[in-house]
Amino acid sequence: MIQFGLIGKTLKHSFSKKYFTDKFETEGINDCQYDLFELAEISEFPNLIKRYGNQLKGLNVTIPYKKEVIPYLDELDENAADIQAVNTIKALPNGKLRGYNTDYFGFINALKEDWDLSNKKALVLGTGGASLAIKKALTDLGILFQSVSRYTTENAISYEHTFDGQWVEEHELIINTTPLGTYPAIDERPKLPYKQLTNQHLLFDLVYNPEVTSFLQEGLDRGAKIKNGYTMLVGQAEASWSIWNEK
């Protein structure tokens, strides 16, 4: 049996296992299996690789290990090296592990679909591993952005700071890269001055469960357009599958 899977810390409500299990069944792929591997610490990663040996052909990576897994890999493709975050790992025939970032392509395709991004500036909520591909994508799309974090740093303003001035009003594309609002903690959302939202705003949440997070609902209530992370995840998953099957 060819083994694939997802590594992360908490995976109970993961999209990936159902997606790939359904894909294998629908496409008649009978020799592949996709499982969830919860790791309490990234230091457990080498033991997982040893356990499956040559059976293991590919892994996806989610919060909080997209940056932390890099030292355990032998190679990075150019895109992952630029972003410095990995969400896809391929086991090469020579036994080495190569890291990729398919979040980048999944996000760009999902963001551009049906949205006019001209003259938009963005707020990127969160500064973890998930945010790195988003910021690279925005840079390549020519969209100016400001990072927002719990504390003010050299590269980010704090959530508290967004209540001073017109940060939300002037940045009409707002992207949540944090896990806030993920089921079952559905009432959580980034702390922002939501009263500044208008029907000109576009809200994108990488969270997809629930379909409409508390963050997105704040936008809907004020006429904003919204998207969740499902389309991005489908694009990311299919890109991972293509990488794993490249000769």
Side-chain angles (χ1 to χ4, degrees), residues 123-126 146-150 152 156-171 174 190-196:
L123 289 180
V124 179
L125 310 181
Q146 172 63 57
S147 295
V148 185
S149 187
R150 285 178 292 176
T152 298
I157 62 172
S158 69
Y159 288 102
E160 292 292 339
H161 191 58
T162 64
F163 287 83
D164 301 325
Q166 298 174 306
W167 289 99
V168 167
E169 184 177 331
E170 295 177 355
H171 292 74
I174 306 179
K191 187 178 180 181
L192 294 172
Y194 290 104
K195 290 188 293 184
Q196 293 183 23

Side-chain angles (χ1 to χ4, degrees), residues 29-146:
I29 302 171
N30 300 315
D31 60 345
C32 293
Q33 181 170 313
Y34 192 103
D35 290 309
L36 303 179
F37 302 113
E38 290 191 346
L39 305 181
E41 303 290 343
I42 193 60
S43 57
E44 298 175 8
F45 179 74
N47 287 334
L48 174 66
I49 301 302
K50 287 181 183 178
R51 188 190 322 159
Y52 286 92
N54 293 334
Q55 284 181 282
L56 185 65
K57 299 301 181 185
L59 292 167
N60 291 125
V61 185
T62 191
I63 294 171
Y65 298 137
K66 293 187 179 188
K67 290 190 289 186
E68 287 81 352
V69 77
I70 290 177
Y72 295 90
L73 306 179
D74 301 293
E75 303 174 8
L76 296 179
D77 88 320
E78 183 177 353
N79 199 46
D82 286 343
I83 296 169
Q84 281 298 294
V86 164
N87 77 313
T88 301
I89 299 170
K90 179 176 183 176
L92 303 177
N94 61 6
K96 292 186 176 182
L97 300 176
R98 178 184 293 159
Y100 300 80
N101 192 300
T102 64
D103 283 339
Y104 171 88
F105 299 106
F107 174 70
I108 284 182
N109 292 334
L111 183 68
K112 291 170 65 177
E113 185 178 4
D114 301 325
W115 276 4
D116 181 5
L117 302 172
S118 56
N119 301 315
K120 298 290 187 187
K121 293 191 293 183
L123 289 180
V124 179
L125 310 181
T127 55
S131 74
L132 300 178
I134 304 310
K135 290 186 280 190
K136 174 71 160 53
L138 293 174
T139 299
D140 290 350
L141 290 171
I143 297 174
L144 299 175
F145 66 87
Q146 172 63 57

